[in-house]
Amino acid sequence: MENNHSSDDRSEPKSTSIAASSIGNGDADGGTYAHLRNLTDDTFTVEEAVEAIGFGRFQWKLSVLTGCAWMADAMELMILSIIAPQLQCEWRLYSWQKALITTVVFVGMMLSSSMWGNICDRHGRKAGLILCVVWTFYMGFLSSFSPNLTWILILRGLVGFGVGGVPQSVTLYAEFLPVKSRAACILLVDMFWAIGTVFEVGLALIVMPKLGWRWLLGFSALPLLLFSLACKWIPESPRYNVLSGNPEKAYETLKRMANENKAAMPIGKLVCCKQEKRGRFQDLFATKELRKTTILLWIIWFNCAFAYYGLVLMTTELFQVQDSTQQCFRSADDNSAVDCNLQCHTLSTKDYIDLMWTTIAEFPGIFITLGIIEFIGRKKTMAVDLLGFALFSFLLIICTSRSVMIFFLFAARAFISGAFQAAYVYTPEVYPTHIRAIGLGSCSGTARVGAIITPFIAQVMLEYSEPLAVSIYAVVSLIAAVACLLLPIETKGRSMQESAMTMDPVTNENISSNGIGNEIISE
């Protein structure tokens, strides 16, 4: 293996070396412009290898493992809406204290999401994923021993800090998928999220009446432990390996994929484009197109988390409101507001069953999104899902019976879960490899800002005005739908970019402005 960085001339490719050329003075940070492809037909990139190998047994195994991470993540977050009513009764909490239990989890996620993205871009997707999963399991298990509100807030906040890195499993997974399979695979893996939420409700139905919330927290942490043990099988992304200067490892991983899929490797030598500067937050705004994309994605992700978790929390709250036989009347000359805040209504078996029905809505939501995303594109799919959520949220204002309310909740949950999963498809596709993890991490962090706010709408404001609380979710979703349509890039059928590309004014070929040098590793 040999490097060749020429600034003024263009050398011919050799059988065991590469042809690379650089022009200009580089970027503001001292990088050089380097041609990514000045190659003969006997070379191939990771992208071309992944396309040639196709989807097979290797990806099926990776799908299950990635899905297990999503399932465990879903369980840790779904549990918030289940234990909150129980803790309010057991510890005599005010509504704002109950909301705070949820909020601290998302504060932890917000603070850590970009950090995990930076770790995954700098030190590897696999290393960052294993670290965050082990952290989440440990803190989740410890939280089951919380003696009071202070400790549950501290430990669940630390759980959130770890959960902030779990979305990086999508970054790793997407980098192994060919273009034609990518959207369908990510959406189908996201079914494990729906499975996790349904499983958590079923587990709560069995555990809560007999053993209580502590046992539920303990059992819910176990899938994370199993996933961390299974991570030994997961290889590092070959896209990350070539950018970090490890073409041998990338080639070994590609050969493993080909062997397991019983497919042939491309003939020739693997191109390696090493990039020293990876995972830099400022690179999300390096070009006008990236800057606009990042800001609009933050709006979309903010709403997805704000609306999704708001609906999850609001569902159990609406059940309690309907089941309550006591009415809270507030006037200027009484203090009944305090008594209303301290009302205690634990979830009944009927509540758990109805919660199960609304949770199952995530499955049709995923299938609807899967059915349209390859036809109308990622941007329009997200917009349609968000408009559907807004419509059924507004309808919640006028519903009068429990059965009608459950139907509207079912439909709204289907649409918002579809929008959220479509965002997970689009985001890894739109960012280049060297900032893909930090890009997804920043979006995830912005989403957690919405999730931090949402408990105070779904659990506190709802007590004072149901129409106002529901309307807020609908209006914010309408704004996010507009943001989807304004995104400058449609990624349907688009290859995953290795770096932010620009055009060489001399040759009219794609070049990079991020200090990338080319290498080739032989077969």
Side-chain angles (χ1 to χ4, degrees):
M1 183 173 62
E2 162 181 349
N3 293 337
N4 181 11
H5 298 280
S6 172
S7 59
D8 297 309
D9 61 340
R10 190 183 297 247
S11 58
E12 292 298 322
K14 300 178 182 179
S15 59
T16 59
S17 65
I18 84 151
S21 61
S22 305
I23 64 170
N25 296 320
D27 59 15
D29 297 307
T32 59
Y33 290 99
H35 288 291
L36 292 180
R37 296 300 305 273
N38 181 23
L39 310 166
T40 60
D41 292 335
D42 63 346
T43 62
F44 63 90
T45 63
V46 172
E47 177 74 22
E48 291 165 343
V50 170
E51 292 297 323
I53 294 169
F55 188 92
R57 183 181 178 185
F58 177 89
Q59 283 84 358
W60 279 117
K61 288 182 179 179
L62 191 60
S63 298
V64 173
L65 286 175
T66 305
C68 289
W70 273 115
M71 182 176 174
D73 188 10
M75 291 175 66
E76 285 296 330
L77 296 179
M78 186 66 194
I79 202 173
L80 299 173
S81 65
I82 297 173
I83 67 170
Q86 184 70 31
L87 293 177
Q88 185 178 28
C89 291
E90 184 172 325
W91 291 342
R92 301 299 294 170
L93 304 178
Y94 290 96
S95 295
W96 67 268
Q97 291 174 312
K98 180 175 68 171
L100 200 58
I101 297 172
T102 302
T103 293
V104 294
V105 176
F106 294 116
V107 168
M109 295 172 74
M110 179 194 69
L111 294 176
S112 68
S113 293
S114 293
M115 181 203 75
W116 290 117
N118 183 275
I119 289 174
C120 289
D121 275 333
R122 290 176 178 269
H123 304 290
R125 284 47 164 144
K126 180 178 178 179
L129 185 59
I130 292 175
L131 183 61
C132 78
V133 168
V134 172
W135 174 283
T136 305
F137 161 73
Y138 184 67
M139 295 303 170
F141 189 77
L142 279 184
S143 67
S144 65
F145 298 96
S146 301
N148 51 45
L149 177 62
T150 301
W151 274 107
I152 197 76
L153 291 177
I154 293 173
L155 292 173
R156 295 311 293 180
L158 292 173
V159 167
F161 192 87
V163 171
V166 176
Q168 297 303 332
S169 61
V170 177
T171 301
L172 176 64
Y173 181 57
E175 291 182 343
F176 283 100
L177 299 174
V179 172
K180 291 183 179 179
S181 307
R182 191 180 303 135
C185 290
I186 293 176
L187 284 171
L188 290 176
V189 161
D190 287 339
M191 284 184 62
F192 281 87
W193 176 281
I195 292 171
T197 58
V198 172
F199 182 78
E200 185 64 31
V201 175
L203 185 64
L205 182 59
I206 298 171
V207 173
M208 288 290 282
K210 296 181 180 180
L211 300 176
W213 63 270
R214 297 182 186 278
W215 284 90
L216 183 63
L217 284 176
F219 286 138
S220 298
L222 291 179
L224 288 164
L225 176 62
L226 298 177
F227 175 76
S228 64
L229 297 175
C231 278
K232 182 179 180 181
W233 179 88
I234 299 177
E236 183 55 83
S237 164
R239 296 178 190 270
Y240 169 80
N241 280 331
V242 294
L243 284 191
S244 59
N246 292 306
E248 296 89 352
K249 291 182 179 179
Y251 194 83
E252 289 174 5
T253 300
L254 292 171
K255 284 185 66 175
R256 174 181 167 185
M257 289 173 59
N259 290 336
E260 292 200 30
N261 289 359
K262 296 182 178 179
M265 280 282 288
I267 299 174
K269 305 175 181 66
L270 175 63
V271 181
C272 177
C273 305
K274 184 178 180 181
Q275 180 158 346
E276 297 295 339
K277 297 172 181 177
R278 304 182 304 275
R280 299 187 304 174
F281 185 80
Q282 61 266 34
D283 287 342
L284 298 176
F285 305 91
T287 66
K288 182 179 179 180
E289 193 174 63
L290 272 177
R291 183 163 57 250
K292 183 177 180 180
T293 298
T294 297
I295 293 172
L296 289 173
L297 278 176
W298 285 355
I299 295 172
I300 295 164
W301 278 73
F302 172 91
N303 171 75
C304 284
F306 178 73
Y308 177 84
Y309 295 115
L311 189 66
V312 170
L313 296 172
M314 190 164 54
T315 298
T316 54
E317 295 297 317
L318 289 173
F319 288 167
Q320 292 179 77
V321 169
Q322 285 223 341
D323 290 341
S324 177
T325 57
Q326 299 177 351
Q327 298 296 321
C328 296
F329 299 99
R330 298 175 176 83
S331 62
D333 58 353
D334 66 31
N335 295 318
S336 59
V338 174
D339 294 331
C340 290
N341 262 334
L342 288 174
Q343 280 193 72
C344 177
H345 304 294
T346 57
L347 297 178
S348 64
T349 300
K350 187 177 187 308
D351 291 333
Y352 283 119
I353 294 174
D354 288 343
L355 183 61
M356 179 78 75
W357 279 113
T358 59
T359 304
I360 289 173
E362 298 202 12
F363 292 101
I366 291 173
F367 286 123
I368 290 171
T369 301
L370 180 62
I372 64 176
I373 196 167
E374 291 293 355
F375 292 97
I376 66 174
R378 280 54 162 158
K379 294 161 50 176
K380 291 180 180 178
T381 297
M382 288 189 287
V384 168
D385 282 333
L386 292 173
L387 289 173
F389 171 79
L391 171 63
F392 283 99
S393 295
F394 278 127
L395 290 175
L396 276 172
I397 298 173
I398 63 173
C399 85
T400 55
S401 68
R402 185 175 177 113
S403 59
V404 173
M405 179 185 73
I406 291 172
F407 173 74
F408 289 159
L409 287 169
F410 182 96
R413 181 80 171 260
F415 278 112
I416 193 59
S417 62
F420 215 157
Q421 305 313 334
Y424 269 108
V425 174
Y426 179 85
T427 306
E429 290 181 335
V430 79
Y431 285 114
T433 299
H434 72 287
I435 55 170
R436 186 167 295 129
I438 189 68
L440 182 63
S442 72
C443 289
S444 181
T446 307
R448 306 317 163 190
V449 176
I452 289 168
I453 298 170
T454 204
F456 295 96
I457 307 297
Q459 294 178 315
V460 180
M461 182 181 289
L462 190 74
E463 290 187 355
Y464 294 90
S465 175
E466 292 177 35
L468 177 60
V470 172
S471 297
I472 289 174
Y473 290 113
V475 171
V476 174
S477 292
L478 290 175
I479 296 172
V482 174
C484 293
L485 299 176
L486 293 177
L487 285 166
I489 303 171
E490 173 55 64
T491 60
K492 184 183 77 169
R494 181 176 183 256
S495 298
M496 298 186 84
Q497 307 299 302
E498 299 305 328
S499 63
M501 305 298 291
T502 187
M503 194 67 69
D504 181 344
V506 177
T507 64
N508 284 329
E509 294 180 356
N510 285 331
I511 60 174
S512 171
S513 58
N514 293 286
I516 301 176
N518 287 359
E519 297 175 342
I520 286 183
I521 178 171
S522 301
E523 289 183 284

